[in-house]
Amino acid sequence: MRKNKAIKNILCIILMSVLLLGCQSENDQFAGETLSVHEESDFSEQVAKAGGPVGSENDDSQVKDNMKAVLKPDHPFGAGVFCWDHLADEEDVDCLVKNNITEIYQYLKPEYSDEEIVSFLERMSDKGIDVYILDGEPTWSYKENLRYAEAVIDRIAYINNYVSKRDRIIGVVYDIEPYVLDKWHSTPQLIMDEYIDNVKSLKDKIERRNYNIEMCVCVPYSFDLMGYEQHLYSLIDSADQVLVLNYNKANEIEDIRTEMQITGDLGKRIITVYELQPGLLSQTNNSVTYYKDGLGAIKTSYEKMLTEYEGKKLGIAYHTLEYLKVLSYQ
């Protein structure tokens, strides 16, 4: 009996060993498969972050997509884009992300509903893009038309009261350009004086009403060249940021030197704006727009400016989103 029991015990031990070996083999195989899954997951995540297709059969396409992500333009002090003709949609968002855009200057047409605006603000905040409302007419330089400029900041305050904190509008960008008025040729000094007073009044209203929005102004590169350096100083001093319409490709670094000095003294951010519109090619003998030169030429220009004005808060902006999209996908 004991011998039979011993034999049975030996057989049980052998059987258990065989089972254990089989389980170990399966575990090893499973571990190998798990590692493979993790490797695939990590790779997919890396490709997704780079903007490439997950599980693409075309390796060359995947590499190109990854390269595009790596070669995104670098904007150490932020990058903006003007949008006048429509509320930026999902297709536009792809372009903004592709070009590392950090802020959008968006014109709000009167017919846009509150729902459309809120949806737009949500799209932008989902991508971490700050929204500034863009508006302005040359005639807003006149004191009698101050109310139109005031209506813009009132509308921003109204919208901000009804959206979440993350979706709020950051500020306003006034693109007024008094120098295109017919009366500019006869009474430029008077127009500039009224214009400056209006800008100061707008800033004062924002502070009195506790609107908590930034006020930014667009200026041409030529105010100081026209002899209005003191007015230029007043404009920059009254604003939170200044956007220089630096539309002279032959002399971009020097044309912005006065503005750089003033903003540096006041500790404010300055943005150099690049024109992209093709309609200006024949009108200006290609001295203004970068439509033919492409985004690579803008990158080179901006890098030179950053080197020249090292240590300054020099951002970049594109005019406009419509043509940034065209140039981005050429």
Side-chain angles (χ1 to χ4, degrees):
M1 291 291 292
R2 289 180 180 176
K3 184 176 180 181
N4 290 338
K5 188 174 183 181
I7 292 173
K8 287 182 180 179
N9 288 339
I10 291 171
L11 289 174
C12 286
I13 291 171
I14 293 172
L15 180 61
M16 289 295 295
S17 298
V18 171
L19 290 174
L20 286 172
L21 286 172
C23 291
Q24 182 64 45
S25 176
E26 289 180 4
N27 286 341
D28 289 344
Q29 183 180 1
F30 182 74
E33 290 174 351
T34 303
L35 178 61
S36 175
V37 169
H38 283 315
E39 287 175 343
E40 181 179 354
S41 176
D42 290 342
F43 174 74
S44 299
E45 184 178 354
Q46 290 170 5
V47 173
K49 287 180 179 178
V54 178
S56 171
E57 295 180 359
N58 191 335
D59 291 339
D60 289 339
S61 175
Q62 193 172 77
V63 170
K64 287 178 182 178
D65 286 342
N66 290 343
M67 285 299 292
K68 286 178 182 178
V70 172
L71 296 176
K72 280 184 179 180
D74 183 27
H75 305 128
F77 299 98
V81 64
F82 289 71
C83 188
W84 289 100
D85 54 354
H86 68 287
L87 286 174
D89 55 25
E90 292 296 343
E91 181 182 352
D92 296 317
V93 168
D94 292 339
C95 174
L96 300 178
V97 172
K98 176 185 177 73
N99 288 283
N100 279 358
I101 298 299
T102 58
E103 56 199 46
I104 186 170
Y105 319 126
Q106 177 72 56
Y107 174 63
L108 294 184
K109 295 179 182 179
E111 60 266 28
Y112 291 152
S113 68
D114 290 350
E115 291 76 14
E116 288 176 303
I117 295 170
V118 169
S119 177
F120 159 72
L121 292 175
E122 290 173 348
R123 284 196 296 276
M124 295 301 107
S125 63
D126 285 345
K127 297 298 181 180
I129 298 171
D130 291 335
V131 175
Y132 292 77
I133 299 308
L134 170 66
D135 214 329
E137 295 287 344
T139 54
W140 291 7
S141 305
Y142 299 133
K143 184 167 184 160
E144 64 194 50
N145 292 328
L146 173 62
R147 65 186 185 278
Y148 298 116
E150 288 182 320
V152 178
I153 55 177
D154 288 336
R155 190 179 188 191
I156 293 173
Y158 166 79
I159 295 169
N160 279 350
N161 279 334
Y162 289 94
V163 297
S164 65
K165 186 175 181 179
R166 70 186 288 269
D167 298 336
R168 285 179 185 168
I169 298 165
I170 300 297
V172 59
V173 172
Y174 284 115
D175 186 12
I176 295 178
E177 304 186 36
Y179 44 88
V180 304
L181 291 167
D182 291 337
K183 291 183 179 180
W184 176 262
H185 303 289
S186 57
T187 58
Q189 184 74 36
L190 292 175
I191 292 175
M192 280 295 286
D193 288 342
E194 281 194 52
Y195 172 43
I196 298 299
D197 286 344
N198 281 355
V199 170
K200 290 180 178 178
S201 295
L202 291 166
K203 182 62 175 176
D204 180 63
K205 178 171 182 173
I206 289 172
E207 292 176 347
R208 281 188 293 104
R209 297 285 183 88
N210 293 317
Y211 279 165
N212 194 28
I213 59 174
E214 296 178 10
M215 189 183 78
C216 313
V217 294
C218 295
V219 301
Y221 70 85
S222 55
F223 268 159
D224 55 321
L225 304 179
M226 298 177 190
Y228 299 112
E229 188 169 338
Q230 189 56 48
H231 289 85
L232 177 62
Y233 184 93
S234 296
L235 277 172
I236 297 174
D237 187 37
S238 299
D240 294 296
Q241 301 184 63
V242 60
L243 292 84
V244 182
L245 309 178
N246 199 9
Y247 301 160
N248 178 19
K249 288 158 57 179
N251 205 35
E252 290 164 333
I253 291 177
E254 289 304 316
D255 283 345
I256 204 173
R257 193 169 294 278
T258 301
E259 292 82 358
M260 292 297 306
Q261 182 64 52
I262 295 173
T263 52
D265 292 344
L266 295 173
K268 297 187 178 183
R269 177 174 175 245
I270 182 172
I271 300 165
T272 181
V273 184
Y274 287 90
E275 181 62 86
L276 305 180
Q277 295 186 87
L280 297 170
L281 284 170
S282 58
Q283 301 173 24
T284 61
N285 196 28
N286 199 32
S287 63
V288 170
T289 178
Y290 273 87
Y291 187 80
K292 281 180 65 176
D293 308 270
L295 298 181
I298 292 178
K299 183 175 184 292
T300 299
S301 168
Y302 181 54
E303 287 175 349
K304 288 180 180 178
M305 297 187 74
L306 288 173
T307 300
E308 178 69 21
Y309 298 114
E310 186 177 2
K312 303 291 186 180
K313 301 174 184 177
L314 177 61
I316 183 176
Y318 303 90
H319 189 270
T320 63
L321 175 56
E322 178 183 359
Y323 297 108
L324 179 62
K325 283 169 61 178
V326 173
L327 296 179
S328 294
Y329 297 100
Q330 284 185 344

